[in-house]
Amino acid sequence: MTTGETDGAGGAAEQLSLVPAPAPEPVADPRPTAVVRPVAQVVVDSGLAHLDRPFDYAVPAELDLQTVPGCRVKVRFAGRLVDGFVVERVDRSEHAGRLAPIAKVVSSEVVLTPEVLDLARAVADRYAGVLGDVLRLAIPPRHARAEKAPRPVPGADDHVAVASLDGWQTYVHGLGFVTSLQAGERPRAWWTAVPGDDPARLVAEAVLATLASGRGSVVCVPDVRDVARWDAVFGLSLIHI
């Protein structure tokens, strides 16, 4: 055999060694599964474009009440424990083999709403991305302390007093904009503050009108240095009764 030639059997063995071994079947889990909708469809943070789809997992009976659509979970994927989000609970799976169980419910807090999921899916498809990557950026990291903090229960007499919407009267259609927010509508506007007007105060008035409709608001400021100043303005502008 001359240099450069390979033995047929040896070459085949070397080539076979390069082929990854098939993933082993999930080990039977001794825990019983949930009786109602025992299958959870999970978006797994795999980072792989060809695996960019939900996967079915069995819901252990002990995690039944905690496993809600939109919650964070830990699942076994390709031999590793990875993060995921439950998108739906269903009665059965189309997968013919045994389903691996959900390993852990990180939190029952619903952080992935259908609206966020649809938007993230559209962004991933539009820019040839992976859904898991988009969700990692779209959903803030978990803060256990915030989840455990008691939440106020709104009473029948609770309301938000709209102190003033005078600032928007300076702008064409400005008063109509905040009035529609107060009425529960969802207007879209592009706005530039005129010199002398404090943008923080006007945005606080718009937030105040939104709160009066029973909704919440998220305000993004240009820089972290603006947070303290805008927070002070909001504290003076928003009056809760």
Side-chain angles (χ1 to χ4, degrees):
M1 182 171 63
T2 60
T3 304
E5 296 179 349
T6 59
D7 177 70
E14 291 177 359
Q15 292 180 9
L16 289 175
S17 66
L18 299 177
V19 178
E25 279 290 316
V27 178
D29 192 278
R31 297 174 297 176
T33 58
V35 176
V36 180
R37 296 193 299 276
V39 178
Q41 296 181 340
V42 180
V43 173
V44 179
D45 188 7
S46 67
L48 302 174
H50 65 287
L51 298 177
D52 190 19
R53 60 180 177 82
F55 288 85
D56 292 346
Y57 284 86
V59 179
E62 62 189 47
L63 300 179
D64 185 15
L65 297 180
Q66 304 173 44
T67 308
V68 296
C71 74
R72 305 175 193 263
V73 294
K74 292 279 189 181
V75 295
R76 288 282 176 186
F77 189 82
R80 299 183 298 114
L81 196 62
V82 299
D83 296 319
F85 297 97
V86 176
V87 297
E88 192 175 0
R89 291 274 301 266
V90 295
D91 292 327
R92 60 182 59 86
S93 173
E94 296 182 359
H95 178 66
R98 184 186 299 115
L99 294 180
I102 289 177
K104 177 183 179 181
V105 175
V106 178
S107 170
S108 292
E109 189 79 13
V110 177
V111 293
L112 179 59
T113 62
E115 294 81 7
V116 173
L117 177 61
D118 291 343
L119 178 59
R121 180 72 273 172
V123 170
D125 293 342
R126 174 65 177 82
Y127 297 99
V130 178
L131 178 60
D133 293 340
V134 178
L135 292 177
R136 196 182 312 117
L137 298 174
I139 300 177
R142 182 190 179 220
H143 293 281
R145 182 180 301 178
E147 290 181 2
K148 295 178 181 179
R151 300 183 180 181
V153 179
D157 298 329
D158 292 348
H159 65 280
V160 178
V162 180
S164 172
L165 300 177
D166 296 339
W168 286 97
Q169 294 183 6
T170 307
Y171 301 87
V172 178
H173 306 303
L175 189 58
F177 169 68
V178 289
T179 301
S180 62
L181 288 175
Q182 187 176 349
E185 301 175 2
R186 298 182 178 182
R188 296 184 179 183
W190 181 83
W191 162 72
T192 301
V194 299
D197 281 353
D198 184 1
R201 183 176 65 85
L202 291 170
V203 172
E205 290 181 2
V207 169
L208 192 65
T210 305
L211 295 178
S213 70
R215 298 174 295 173
S217 294
V218 177
V219 177
C220 300
V221 295
D223 193 278
V224 68
R225 292 172 296 182
D226 297 320
V227 173
R229 187 178 70 82
W230 281 59
D231 181 64
V233 173
F234 275 40
L236 294 175
S237 301
L238 304 183
I239 303 175
H240 296 267
I241 297 180

